[in-house]
Amino acid sequence: MIRCALLSAAAALSLAAPAQAQDDSRQIFEPSYFERFAPQTAIDMVRRVPGFSIREQGDDRGLGQGGVNVLINGERVTSKDTDATDVLSRTPVGTVVRIEIADAATLGVTGLTGQVANVILDRSSLSGAWEYQPEFRDGARPRWTNGTLSVSGERGDLNYTIGFDNRSFRGGEQGPEDVFDGSGNLTEVRQEKFSSRGENPSITTSINYPISERTSLAFTGSAALFGVDRWEFSDVADVSSRDTLRAEDEWNAEGSLELSHDVGPGTLKVIAYDRFEHSPLTTRELFDTFGESFVVSEFAQEINEGELIGRTEYAFAQKNGVTWEIAGEVAFNFLDSEAVFSERGGGSDVFVVSPDVRVEELREQISLTRGFTMWDKLAVQASAAGEWSMITVISDTSTRVPANTAGATVVFDEGTGTDSRSFTRPKGFVTFAYPVSDRFDLRARFERSVGQLSFFDFISNVNLQEQRAQAGNTELVPEQSWDGEIELEAAISEEEKVIFRVSGRLIEDLVDQVPFDVLDDSGNAVDVIDAVGNLDTATLWEVGLEGTLETDRWGLAGGRIDFNGLYRDTNVEDPTTLETRSISREPDWEYNIQFRHDIPSTPYAYGFEFEGVEDVVVYRVDEIAIANIPQPETEFFVEHKDLYGMILRLTVGNLLNVSYEQDRTRWEGRREQTPIDFIEDRERTDGRRFTLTLSGTF
């Protein structure tokens, strides 16, 4: 369908109309353009810009270059967990003056790629938006507590947006799982059920205060609670049952303060950012072998993590249109972990105490960025940067003894010590934007990048639901890569675009699953366990197509199709078999197609969404797991856009009631050395979801 859409678009180029509005190479969308979609928040409008896709980069290091391709009043939101899309999702539509779409290389903001949306807001008038969204689905309790409320306004010179929401969720799956031995003989037939329930209330604040004509202060902050229970039950008739509950009760908060002051020909910014998260997690499993034994296993872990960042930027423009930015940043990240695994029953009680682990990273970065124009039309932005970082891992088993250990064997997972490593890495990028003609734009980006590590990979953990343990790896280093991307945009009409994109990455130190040897006191390998580690090299290539088409040309007035598709090819040498395979969790292809029809001269709309993805494969030292959704996930909605001044939408999700399949093959040890232990073949249905959405503005 995507290919047909592209061919139709190419055939229709002769029908191209002028852009919605054009100003200095920027495409301008006024609020009136979005009226037929009845948006309630600023992000609803951004998502309706033709041919524009929000590109989020949540794994960026610090507050430096990059991030989401959305600006607010020409400025990046200098936060991490709360980015521009979060602020705009809580910004009422009445505050939007216009939305500007421009090539990243033509802007004075560093590190962005492709198209960028600049949302111009005016909060001088008090306005608000609200939404209530209950949901009902097969196999799960109703969701009654999902909703949002946001207010924007101005008090004196101070303007603000405050948003409250609760992103609650309910889930439920059920179905059979067949278990086979290494010879392919059926050994068990399990009936399984899974349910999840979570609440995620939060508050977000965005404040801007002009201290003087030359100085302004901005604050972005959020605080949230996150509580979730995931329950899984597996039953083998008249033989055994397994009941597992995984519970988390988290809270987190973050804040970013930015002071801007005009100095000389440019603007100096000083930014301070702080984030903290507290996450206690408990998993408990009850395994009942009928008439024989009853075993209770529990893994309890408490995580505290945080990040502190200080950043300074100075940017200015010369009379010839050349822009400069020099920036420096210091960041400190940490994670503290305490964990205990216990098992009672089955003839013996055992407590395994993992070491208290603290992981720290101190990082310093400096960058110089220059923007300029060549040959009148070619916009270029180039940046040279470098970073120094030190990673420290501190392990200690001597300070904590678990309670309630009477009569049990207590085992300390030894690991006391301190290990520090430092690195120096060059970074940088160059971006290009070239308007080939009134209808075609060419953009490119080439970059040397450094990835962000997850400190959770440094510590050991136990997943009782998957019946496996994973070792922590204190020798991890961040990925580095040479990245390239080229995209061609075709403007078909004032409301239609098609974008073709090719990108690739040459990766060093790929973070993936690796074998991890378990050593005895003499340093000899006595076992092997799975861990996250680094692989020497890998490649990733992608070809993507996305765009927006109106159906008027086919005789259906008021209809619109938004689509995107991606084909991906990845290669890495498997650390276990030494054969070439794909990168774990990177599917070969995925697509999303949305159709919406706003019926002319009526307040009604309806639409469909189709989404599909190739098998997702995870490779481990002793296991290959393949997750598959054999049919596209389908959603249908109907909408009344003016029900007593409100919007009423009814959505049916998982319309085809598709099943979710997983095949898991487990070997007795390393895949290349040992026979297959068992094979699990799972199929679960998620059930249809019925969602009622009622929303409005004030």
Side-chain angles (χ1 to χ4, degrees):
M1 184 171 181
I2 293 175
R3 182 184 178 189
C4 294
L6 180 61
L7 294 174
S8 299
L13 284 175
S14 61
L15 302 177
Q20 178 71 20
Q22 205 76 23
D23 178 18
D24 243 5
S25 79
R26 300 187 183 194
Q27 193 176 10
I28 310 298
F29 292 89
E30 305 288 346
S32 58
Y33 170 80
F34 303 97
E35 286 180 356
R36 70 164 174 162
F37 305 115
Q40 301 298 288
T41 64
I43 199 65
D44 294 338
M45 300 171 72
V46 173
R47 288 174 176 150
R48 290 300 174 188
V49 173
F52 178 78
S53 295
I54 297 173
R55 303 175 70 180
E56 300 185 18
Q57 300 176 358
D59 58 351
D60 285 346
R61 291 168 70 78
L63 296 174
Q65 300 162 343
V68 66
N69 60 337
V70 179
L71 306 176
I72 298 178
N73 291 338
E75 300 286 343
R76 180 189 285 121
V77 175
T78 52
S79 187
K80 295 191 71 176
D81 290 349
T82 305
D83 61 22
T85 60
D86 295 308
V87 174
L88 293 176
S89 68
R90 296 166 178 86
T91 301
V93 69
T95 65
V96 179
V97 177
R98 65 183 181 277
I99 297 176
E100 303 172 351
I101 304 298
D103 290 326
T106 65
L107 300 173
V109 180
T110 61
L112 300 178
T113 303
Q115 293 186 104
V116 177
N118 180 25
V119 184
I120 306 301
L121 302 179
D122 179 3
R123 300 184 176 107
S124 58
S125 299
L126 184 67
S127 62
W130 61 273
E131 180 181 273
Y132 178 56
Q133 196 176 64
E135 182 179 87
F136 311 90
R137 62 193 296 171
D138 297 338
R141 296 179 179 179
R143 184 189 70 185
W144 297 105
T145 55
N146 202 71
T148 66
L149 174 66
S150 59
V151 178
S152 286
E154 188 176 80
R155 189 173 183 86
D157 292 332
L158 183 147
N159 60 76
Y160 61 87
T161 295
I162 301 175
F164 306 88
D165 67 27
N166 183 33
R167 297 298 181 184
S168 59
F169 58 91
R170 306 288 185 270
E173 302 173 3
Q174 57 184 340
E177 180 175 77
D178 296 334
V179 183
F180 303 86
D181 62 20
S183 300
N185 302 309
L186 182 66
T187 59
E188 287 184 355
V189 177
R190 302 168 180 168
Q191 295 298 322
E192 298 193 324
K193 294 182 179 180
F194 172 82
S195 68
S196 61
R197 179 176 182 175
E199 303 289 338
N200 187 200
S202 66
I203 179 173
T204 301
T205 304
S206 177
I207 298 173
N208 293 273
Y209 180 65
I211 299 174
S212 67
E213 291 184 0
R214 301 176 58 190
T215 307
S216 64
L217 189 67
F219 172 78
T220 302
S222 66
L225 302 175
F226 180 70
V228 59
D229 293 329
R230 295 182 175 92
W231 172 77
E232 185 176 60
F233 180 75
S234 179
D235 178 69
V236 181
D238 301 323
V239 177
S240 65
S241 68
R242 185 169 66 92
D243 196 331
T244 309
L245 177 64
R246 182 181 175 92
E248 185 174 0
D249 190 15
E250 171 191 313
W251 66 266
N252 60 76
E254 68 157 2
S256 176
L257 190 65
E258 177 183 306
L259 179 66
S260 299
H261 181 65
D262 293 340
V263 178
T267 300
L268 175 69
K269 293 184 179 181
V270 179
I271 304 165
Y273 173 81
D274 187 15
R275 177 181 66 86
F276 184 81
E277 180 176 313
H278 174 69
S279 305
L281 173 67
T282 302
T283 306
R284 182 178 291 109
E285 178 192 71
L286 311 178
F287 190 84
D288 187 3
T289 304
F290 301 146
E292 296 184 12
S293 64
F294 188 81
V295 179
V296 180
S297 303
E298 181 176 282
F299 179 68
Q301 186 175 46
E302 184 172 296
I303 299 289
N304 292 311
E305 57 179 320
E307 184 172 23
L308 293 167
I309 301 175
R311 180 176 174 85
T312 301
E313 305 173 355
Y314 182 66
F316 64 94
Q318 296 178 305
K319 293 182 179 180
N320 58 1
V322 175
T323 62
W324 292 89
E325 181 196 82
I326 184 169
E329 182 173 297
V330 178
F332 177 72
N333 299 65
F334 71 89
L335 180 145
D336 289 316
S337 171
E338 297 179 0
V340 176
F341 173 77
S342 65
E343 186 172 276
R344 293 183 178 275
S348 63
D349 295 342
V350 177
F351 283 79
V352 180
V353 183
S354 296
D356 295 351
V357 178
R358 181 177 176 87
V359 185
E360 300 176 350
E361 182 183 31
L362 177 64
R363 181 174 48 81
E364 300 171 356
Q365 175 180 299
I366 189 169
S367 64
L368 177 65
T369 305
R370 183 175 186 258
F372 57 96
T373 301
M374 299 174 59
W375 307 310
D376 293 331
K377 295 198 302 183
L378 177 64
V380 183
Q381 190 179 89
S383 177
E387 73 165 44
W388 172 89
S389 65
M390 183 189 318
I391 298 175
T392 302
V393 181
I394 305 169
S395 301
D396 186 3
T397 60
S398 63
T399 59
R400 184 166 49 89
V401 177
N404 303 320
T405 59
T409 301
V410 180
V411 179
F412 285 92
D413 184 359
E414 297 296 338
T416 300
T418 300
D419 177 39
S420 294
R421 294 167 293 135
S422 62
F423 307 90
T424 301
R425 304 178 180 88
K427 305 194 312 187
F429 68 86
V430 58
T431 64
F432 304 92
Y434 183 72
V436 180
S437 69
D438 292 340
R439 298 173 184 170
F440 293 95
D441 288 293
L442 184 66
R443 293 181 283 265
R445 179 183 178 94
F446 303 97
E447 180 176 12
R448 175 63 172 179
S449 64
V450 179
Q452 176 65 52
L453 287 172
S454 171
F455 287 171
F456 285 92
D457 296 333
F458 284 72
I459 59 179
S460 302
N461 67 78
V462 176
N463 189 325
L464 294 175
Q465 289 184 334
E466 293 294 333
Q467 294 289 290
R468 69 175 307 110
Q470 179 163 291
N473 185 357
T474 61
E475 300 297 321
L476 273 174
V477 298
E479 289 183 0
Q480 300 179 81
S481 63
W482 293 100
D483 305 336
E485 178 180 285
I486 300 175
E487 68 177 30
L488 176 65
E489 175 187 309
I492 301 170
S493 73
E494 66 178 37
E495 298 182 355
E496 298 173 294
K497 288 182 182 179
V498 173
I499 299 173
F500 176 74
R501 182 181 299 114
V502 178
S503 62
R505 298 184 67 206
L506 304 178
I507 307 170
E508 304 165 21
D509 296 322
L510 174 75
V511 175
D512 205 329
Q513 302 294 139
V514 301
F516 195 85
D517 289 330
V518 179
L519 306 179
D520 60 17
D521 294 337
S522 302
N524 300 314
V526 295
D527 198 0
V528 65
I529 192 172
D530 202 59
V532 174
N534 294 108
L535 304 181
D536 289 340
T537 60
T539 59
L540 183 150
W541 304 97
E542 293 180 339
V543 178
L545 182 69
E546 64 180 83
T548 299
L549 296 173
E550 298 283 333
T551 62
D552 299 54
R553 69 179 74 254
W554 298 300
L556 184 64
R560 167 169 157 159
I561 299 172
D562 292 279
F563 60 89
N564 65 73
L566 185 69
Y567 174 77
R568 181 184 293 110
D569 180 70
T570 65
N571 288 281
V572 67
E573 183 181 273
D574 190 294
T576 302
T577 65
L578 303 183
E579 297 176 350
T580 300
R581 62 163 172 84
S582 60
I583 299 175
S584 285
R585 300 180 178 87
E586 294 284 0
D588 289 344
W589 53 261
E590 52 192 282
Y591 68 87
N592 179 276
I593 303 172
Q594 300 178 35
F595 168 72
R596 177 185 173 98
H597 185 207
D598 293 271
I599 303 173
S601 304
T602 76
Y604 301 105
Y606 67 93
F608 298 89
E609 180 175 359
F610 301 91
E611 187 171 44
V613 63
E614 172 65 305
D615 297 351
V616 176
V617 185
V618 178
Y619 297 89
R620 300 182 185 274
V621 61
D622 61 349
E623 179 181 295
I624 296 178
I626 304 173
N628 176 41
I629 304 176
Q631 295 175 285
E633 292 196 73
T634 307
E635 181 177 289
F636 172 75
F637 77 89
V638 292
E639 183 176 284
H640 193 304
K641 296 181 285 186
D642 189 12
L643 182 67
Y644 302 104
M646 301 177 294
I647 296 177
L648 176 66
R649 172 188 282 216
L650 176 63
T651 305
V652 183
N654 192 20
L655 189 63
L656 301 179
N657 198 25
V658 300
S659 59
Y660 301 90
E661 301 175 355
Q662 177 174 298
D663 295 324
R664 185 166 69 140
T665 303
R666 175 78 64 85
W667 281 257
E668 294 180 3
R670 297 175 66 107
R671 282 185 278 120
E672 86 285 13
Q673 296 178 354
T674 61
I676 293 175
D677 187 13
F678 63 83
I679 301 172
E680 293 177 344
D681 185 0
R682 173 189 298 174
E683 181 176 348
R684 292 178 178 176
T685 56
D686 191 28
R688 295 181 178 88
R689 301 182 296 274
F690 300 88
T691 306
L692 181 69
T693 304
L694 193 63
S695 60
T697 59
F698 57 89

